[in-house]
Amino acid sequence: MSGFQRACGVMGFVLALAGCAGGGGDGPSGPPGVVGPEGAASLFAVVAEPAGTNCANAGSRITAGLDSNRNGLLDPSEVTQSRYACNGTNGSGSSAMLVKTAVEPAGAQCATGGFSIRVGLDANANNVLEASEVSSADYACNGLAGQNGANGLSSLVTTGSEAAGAN
């Protein structure tokens, strides 16, 4: 008989004894498993972009990404998207490019919520980005929630008297 077969036979014997001990029942539940980490939140930043290569008439640079280190700041290593919203001209002079952000609830655009970022030229020069002025919309979505940890396990042991002998 191999060592593995002998171990299996002993384990079966122990389980049979445990079943015969009677009066047992399930022991207390083990402690809950460890909760997995939260999903990463999406962050974005809007900063002024000077006139130059990216925007001839100046404008804004919009960066977005997931806060993987959970420090509440969009670090350069976390940026996954960059867009430029550049000022333009409307025939009578320049028009400012406006950026409007809003919380985006969980839904079709962002499964776990996030932010909407809308940009457009302020055609009527009222410093309000109106629906008719929006030229593009992007979304910075939150990451998915982490998984819950596994449930804890219980160990059960039954002891009894053993007569002197081979064991």
Side-chain angles (χ1 to χ4, degrees):
M1 182 183 284
S2 74
F4 177 74
Q5 290 171 325
R6 189 173 23 256
C8 288
V10 169
M11 181 59 78
F13 178 72
V14 168
L15 290 175
L17 282 179
C20 294
D26 291 341
S29 295
V34 177
V35 175
E38 292 182 20
S42 62
L43 298 175
F44 67 92
V46 179
V47 296
E49 180 69 19
T53 305
N54 296 316
C55 290
N57 297 313
S60 299
R61 179 171 45 97
I62 305 162
T63 56
L66 293 177
D67 186 16
S68 58
N69 63 5
R70 294 173 172 70
N71 68 353
L73 303 171
L74 183 60
D75 298 317
S77 63
E78 297 170 331
V79 173
T80 58
Q81 296 181 49
S82 289
R83 302 262 197 272
Y84 294 93
C86 301
N87 297 333
T89 60
N90 62 9
S92 62
S94 65
S95 292
M97 178 61 72
L98 299 178
V99 178
K100 181 178 182 180
T101 61
V103 172
E104 183 70 22
Q109 299 299 331
C110 291
T112 57
F115 295 95
S116 65
I117 305 165
R118 291 175 170 76
V119 297
L121 289 175
D122 187 14
N124 61 8
N126 69 351
N127 277 339
V128 175
L129 183 62
E130 297 170 7
S132 62
E133 297 171 328
V134 173
S135 60
S136 70
D138 283 311
Y139 299 88
C141 300
N142 295 329
L144 299 175
Q147 296 180 352
N148 289 337
N151 288 335
L153 300 176
S154 297
S155 259
L156 302 176
V157 176
T158 301
T159 60
S161 298
E162 176 71 25
N167 294 325

